[in-house]
Amino acid sequence: MHFTAEHDMFRQTVRAVVQSEIDPQVEEWEAAHAFPAHELFPKLARLGLFGLEYDPADGGQGVDHAFTVILGEELGRARCGGVPMAIAVHTDMATPSLARFGTPELKARYLAPAMRGEQVAAVAVTEPDAGSDVAAISTRAARDGDDWVINGSKLYITNGVQADWLCLLVRTGEERGYRGMSQVIFPSATPGFSVSRTLRKLGNHSSDTAELSFVDARVPLANTIGAIGRGFQQQMQQFQNERLIAAYMAVGQCEAAIQRTLDYLRQRVTFGKPLVEHQWIQFHMAELVAEVDLLRHYNYAAAEAIMAGQDATRFATIAKLTAGRLVRKVADTCLQFHGGIGYMDETWTSRFYRDSRLLSIGGGTDEVMLQVLARMDGITALD
Ligand SMILES: Cc1cc2nc3c(=O)[nH]c(=O)nc-3n(C[C@H](O)[C@H](O)[C@H](O)COP(=O)(O)OP(=O)(O)OC[C@H]3O[C@@H](n4cnc5c(N)ncnc54)[C@H](O)[C@@H]3O)c2cc1C
């Protein structure tokens, strides 16, 4: 993976933006269980963080995927998991399908303003009775003239309270399973839509998470992204972007946590010497450094596959699985080596421990990653 001077400058920009626009507000936003997306996103857009790979004609910047790697790694260094995740939902989880398959009109109306930070996006797939098994969703869009009439509900939707529009996966045909689904841009101002619950959660307090309800909510057929009936396949492709940015962010999270822990281990003395001088601790920290390095270079291989125009499904699956497990291990070890102060809310380790738990669940659980990999690699009874 070759980073140019331009990439390095972008890294410095994102790092500075995280330090100036996110980190100083983290305590306030975590306590409020929300951050003001409509204030933060226009700033981030002006500073060049949005629409990296999208076509300039659609409001993007037309740069390569290495910029997305950098964005993820640097967002991961923020002092909380919630805001970076909400940003990544906007940039890499809710908008790729629209950029890839949307009509010019749909992109002008929704993608370009989102990339200017004027509109906030969310992706709505999960339902009360369908999470891992996406093919089991039941929210339905029935055709009525030139409109879809939508009924159903979505659960655990990040940015769900603040979003101006959703990239919504709905059932539009009579077929069962993965057939007969479509992706629709759903403006949250549509009558019949409501936030039925704002959810409290273990971590990522600064991002809002909601249950959403749709009762005879009408949107134009023209809001369909791509082909009617191809929603499942398009969403599966969109999940690759989601899983990769999550893995890129994990590297930044782990690196920052290891660095902060080493700072502490150098100044905390037990048994007459700094903690970092105890070999048990040195070896554990060195092991974490090695594992993060492996993930970083695996991510870079994934990014190179993307840049070469290859299918990166296997890379994204393994990277997401590994990242979810590693970030939990790093969070647990960093907390442990802080001792009692590590368990206190006043110390960053306690939030990191809570926030880190999500990565093995959101965007497809560890078990779903293993299921995808087992299928891809033919690890089944039949050969
Ligand atoms: C904070 C947060 C934010 C989220 N944000 C969004 C969002 O913005 N948009 C969105 O659409 N969704 C979002 N999600 C939902 C998330 O993607 C789902 O929670 C996840 O996919 C798991 O689905 P589930 O919760 O229904 O678990 P279930 O599917 O009920 O699974 C329960 C457990 O069983 C395991 N399991 C399931 N099937 C199998 C199997 N065949 N073999 C072995 N084990 C299995 C799972 O891995 C899991 O451990 C979010 C979730 C959280 C917690």
Side-chain angles (χ1 to χ4, degrees):
M1 184 88 177
H2 176 65
F3 291 113
T4 62
E6 217 182 325
H7 291 126
D8 294 341
M9 267 175 55
F10 181 65
R11 187 180 290 283
Q12 295 315 321
T13 302
V14 184
R15 192 168 291 192
V17 169
V18 167
Q19 285 168 359
S20 64
E21 303 297 334
I22 298 175
D23 283 350
Q25 319 293 336
V26 161
E27 297 304 329
E28 183 189 332
W29 294 343
E30 286 277 304
H33 286 261
F35 76 101
H38 288 94
E39 281 173 33
L40 181 65
F41 282 11
K43 288 184 200 167
L44 301 184
R46 275 196 298 278
L47 292 162
L49 272 58
F50 285 0
L52 293 172
E53 294 177 64
Y54 299 155
D55 193 328
D58 302 329
Q61 302 189 49
V63 294
D64 67 31
H65 188 71
F67 283 87
T68 300
V69 175
I70 294 168
L71 178 70
E73 288 182 351
E74 293 303 321
L75 284 177
R77 300 179 70 88
R79 289 182 175 244
C80 67
V83 179
M85 181 184 67
I87 295 169
V89 164
H90 185 82
T91 60
D92 284 82
M93 303 181 191
T95 50
S97 279
L98 177 57
R100 221 170 253 144
F101 303 110
T103 58
E105 296 74 31
L106 208 53
K107 289 195 272 194
R109 188 133 186 228
Y110 296 103
L111 186 61
M115 292 307 107
R116 291 194 298 269
E118 294 160 7
Q119 295 179 1
V120 174
V123 56
V125 175
T126 308
E127 298 182 358
D129 295 321
S132 301
D133 186 4
V134 174
I137 65 158
S138 60
T139 295
R140 175 163 291 283
R143 192 168 173 168
D144 182 25
D146 289 336
D147 289 339
W148 292 119
V149 180
I150 301 177
N151 283 283
S153 61
K154 294 286 175 182
L155 191 60
Y156 312 133
I157 306 307
T158 304
N159 294 344
V161 177
Q162 303 195 66
D164 296 286
W165 56 264
L166 316 168
C167 174
L168 179 68
L169 188 66
V170 282
R171 205 160 267 295
T172 47
E174 293 310 315
E175 307 95 323
R176 297 171 76 94
Y178 66 85
R179 291 194 172 81
M181 292 186 205
S182 304
Q183 286 181 308
V184 173
I185 295 291
F186 184 93
S188 57
T190 306
F193 171 79
S194 62
V195 173
S196 33
R197 272 196 306 157
T198 302
L199 301 158
R200 288 288 167 121
K201 46 197 192 298
L202 173 69
N204 276 11
H205 289 164
S206 45
S207 87
D208 68 73
T209 311
E211 179 167 5
L212 309 176
S213 161
F214 307 81
V215 180
D216 292 332
R218 209 171 257 277
V219 294
L221 280 184
N223 276 26
T224 311
I225 303 173
I228 293 175
R230 294 288 300 169
F232 181 86
Q233 292 82 352
Q234 292 176 189
Q235 179 54 45
M236 288 301 131
Q237 210 174 330
Q238 186 160 253
F239 274 140
Q240 306 313 325
N241 298 81
E242 173 161 351
R243 290 168 188 166
L244 285 172
I245 189 93
Y248 303 156
M249 290 202 300
V251 166
Q253 288 169 348
C254 291
E255 271 189 349
I258 289 170
Q259 197 50 54
R260 296 175 86 182
T261 301
L262 286 173
D263 291 345
Y264 180 76
L265 297 174
R266 289 193 178 101
Q267 53 95 7
R268 175 75 173 172
V269 173
T270 68
F271 300 96
K273 57 183 181 183
L275 277 170
V276 77
E277 291 297 321
H278 297 285
Q279 198 179 53
W280 169 265
I281 289 191
Q282 276 177 4
F283 283 10
H284 268 272
M285 294 306 289
E287 199 165 310
L288 294 183
V289 167
E291 288 186 51
V292 175
D293 223 34
L294 281 175
L295 177 61
R296 187 205 340 268
H297 288 285
Y298 192 83
N299 284 348
Y300 290 172
E304 280 173 353
I306 296 266
M307 289 193 281
Q310 295 160 5
D311 175 40
T313 305
R314 193 167 183 280
F315 277 119
T317 306
I318 295 177
K320 163 73 168 59
L321 173 69
T322 307
R325 290 174 167 177
L326 183 56
V327 80
R328 287 157 66 185
K329 182 173 173 182
V330 169
D332 189 60
T333 309
C334 292
L335 189 152
Q336 181 69 19
F337 287 171
H338 275 74
I341 195 75
Y343 196 73
M344 297 298 123
D345 273 349
E346 66 195 70
T347 311
W348 63 272
T349 44
S350 135
R351 176 182 303 142
F352 182 45
Y353 186 80
R354 290 186 280 103
D355 291 354
S356 69
R357 194 62 187 81
L358 178 62
L359 190 49
S360 284
I361 298 173
T365 62
D366 285 1
E367 292 74 19
V368 167
M369 296 306 102
L370 291 166
Q371 188 184 49
V372 172
L373 189 58
R375 281 182 186 153
M376 284 192 92
D377 282 25
I379 307 171
T380 56
L382 300 170
D383 53 28

